[in-house]
Amino acid sequence: PAMLFHSFFKTLVGKEVTIEMKNDLCIRGTLQSVDQFLNIKLDNITVLDPEKYPHMMSVKNCFVRGSVVRYIHLPAADVDTGLLQDATRLEAAEKKTAQPAAQ
């Protein structure tokens, strides 16, 4: 499933996303890149709660380790749900045919 998400997020490069981390820090920025571990690079970031995280106000670009991400909020207009559903069905079908028959 990670490859499905990786492919999906690569289609969103250049779009604005909001990352909510496990430590409750939320940052919005332009998705610059994403790798197979779902590590994310953002440009032109803004912190959604600057009073709580004043030290982040001067940061403009950042790298977010995939393991610290709680949620990624995406603009609905940029999500191709049909493509995502088709890819999910295809992946499920491939897993089904790859399993050996039960005896």
Side-chain angles (χ1 to χ4, degrees), residues 24-100:
D24 295 327
L25 172 61
C26 291
I27 53 174
R28 180 177 295 131
T30 305
L31 183 63
Q32 186 65 29
S33 67
V34 60
D35 67 14
Q36 70 270 25
F37 304 106
L38 301 181
N39 297 318
I40 297 167
K41 284 169 77 173
L42 293 177
D43 281 342
N44 306 317
I45 70 162
T46 55
V47 178
L48 299 190
D49 190 359
E51 293 80 27
K52 190 172 178 184
Y53 302 98
H55 57 285
M56 293 293 293
M57 293 305 297
S58 62
V59 178
K60 293 298 166 213
N61 305 306
C62 69
F63 175 87
V64 179
R65 184 180 164 105
S67 64
V68 304
V69 174
R70 180 182 296 145
Y71 297 113
I72 301 176
H73 304 270
L74 308 169
D78 294 327
V79 178
D80 186 342
T81 52
L83 183 66
L84 198 54
Q85 289 168 351
D86 290 345
T88 305
R89 281 190 209 99
L90 180 63
E91 188 173 286
E94 286 172 355
K95 279 186 180 176
K96 204 174 206 177
T97 58
Q99 293 176 347

